[in-house]
Amino acid sequence: MTLAGILLVPGTANASSKATPAMGVVDTAALQKATRRATTVNAKSEAKLQGKISGHLDKMARTGKLADTAEVQVATVAAPNGVDGKVQLVWDAGKDPAKVYTATVNGEIAGFGSIFNETETATTAAAAPVGSGYDAASNKSKMYKYSNGCVEQWFEPSAASIPDHYLWTCWEKWAESGTDHWIYNRWGRFSRANTSATPQTREFTIRSRPWNYTTNTAIKSLNSATPTATATSCTATATVEIGYERSGVSGKLSVPLHRCNATNPVGTWGRKEIGVQFLGSTTDVVRYLDMAGDYTAANKTVVPTWADYSWMTVAEDTTELPVLFEEDYIRKDSGW
């Protein structure tokens, strides 16, 4: 079913049960009330959350952004629908969570989603809303990093001893000075909680496209994207060069791509959209996705904006039942 732009697909508990999803929502007011600066987190009484904040800052530093703790915000809310568990969000300046959703089927979690709004304005130094667009670009040629950032999202299962489902999704916006040339680099990591004896990740997808693409006039064209073909091995990381060469424009970047089996490009050229998807069945706890797109803006002064989307599906292989119980998770920007 579709609710306020978020698609939550309920799983089926067993072959004979009828899926009757119940929806729950944490609205903007409740999220604003729960939002606080990372500097207010008590290192002793909130050690688990403090560890997540420290990890966020460390990963941001690895992407080249030395974020201060005061710039990081956190929110912890009880899962709606009256189910056990909590939702925790950690993010940088430039965006705020708007809503959190859950779907349950027969009392069990079947879906979880969040929507973020941009908060930057055209008068700020980084004059564009940030997306949520695993590894940073390198070997730059004539390109400079305009802005970058990350969002982390946890969903705590009802069994407190089980590690949380975890999404880490990042973006980099690169520009070639004095031109209309931009490169958008995006990566993500999904870590699945061990919620049964034989859990599986069935899908992990990330996509990015111009903010409100149907009315967006800041981005003229998508020139090229990577990856361009199905990847083959999850153990190797390939370095791919992306860029654009024409009169006066020749900036390039090298971006690392995690090559995983059953991983395919899924962008839609007509929407100027880049995307990559793992679709299959794996008991691996962690999956990585990486992608990048080379763009031409409407002119040399406009700052393009991108909206990001992430989708994860996990399943429990319940051998006593004839079907899987699936749960779907989503994180996206309001401009998607």
Side-chain angles (χ1 to χ4, degrees), residues 38-222:
T39 50
T40 66
V41 174
N42 188 293
K44 292 184 178 180
S45 62
E46 300 176 282
K48 187 176 180 180
L49 179 56
Q50 181 61 56
K52 292 176 178 178
I53 294 168
S54 298
H56 180 80
L57 290 169
D58 178 67
K59 289 191 285 292
M60 289 302 300
R62 293 171 188 269
T63 70
K65 183 175 181 179
L66 300 178
D68 187 271
T69 306
E71 299 177 20
V72 178
Q73 299 186 84
V74 301
T76 302
V77 295
N81 281 25
V83 297
D84 292 332
K86 295 180 179 179
V87 176
Q88 285 190 323
L89 305 170
V90 177
W91 68 96
D92 301 323
K95 61 173 56 184
D96 284 320
K99 290 183 180 180
V100 168
Y101 295 91
T102 61
T104 58
V105 174
N106 299 331
E108 296 191 55
I109 285 290
F112 164 67
S114 67
I115 294 180
F116 275 69
N117 289 333
E118 57 90 7
T119 58
E120 291 183 331
T121 66
T123 59
T124 60
V130 298
S132 71
Y134 175 96
D135 283 336
S138 61
N139 299 328
K140 62 183 183 294
S141 172
K142 298 184 179 180
M143 306 293 292
Y144 71 94
K145 189 186 296 183
Y146 181 85
S147 57
N148 70 311
C150 297
V151 170
E152 298 188 74
Q153 176 173 289
W154 293 263
F155 185 82
E156 182 180 277
S158 56
S161 61
I162 298 173
D164 301 342
H165 288 307
Y166 165 71
L167 173 67
W168 155 253
T169 176
C170 300
W171 57 274
E172 290 179 331
K173 191 185 294 188
W174 292 81
E176 184 173 355
S177 183
T179 74
D180 54 7
H181 182 208
W182 293 80
I183 292 177
Y184 193 67
N185 184 33
R186 172 93 189 281
W187 64 93
R189 169 188 169 188
F190 176 62
S191 298
R192 173 189 44 74
N194 288 314
T195 53
S196 73
T198 52
Q200 302 173 7
T201 297
R202 306 300 297 276
E203 180 181 348
F204 180 26
T205 300
I206 60 174
R207 299 175 187 264
S208 297
R209 69 189 186 199
W211 196 277
N212 294 330
Y213 83 96
T214 57
T215 58
N216 189 299
T217 59
I219 297 177
K220 181 179 179 180
S221 63
L222 169 61

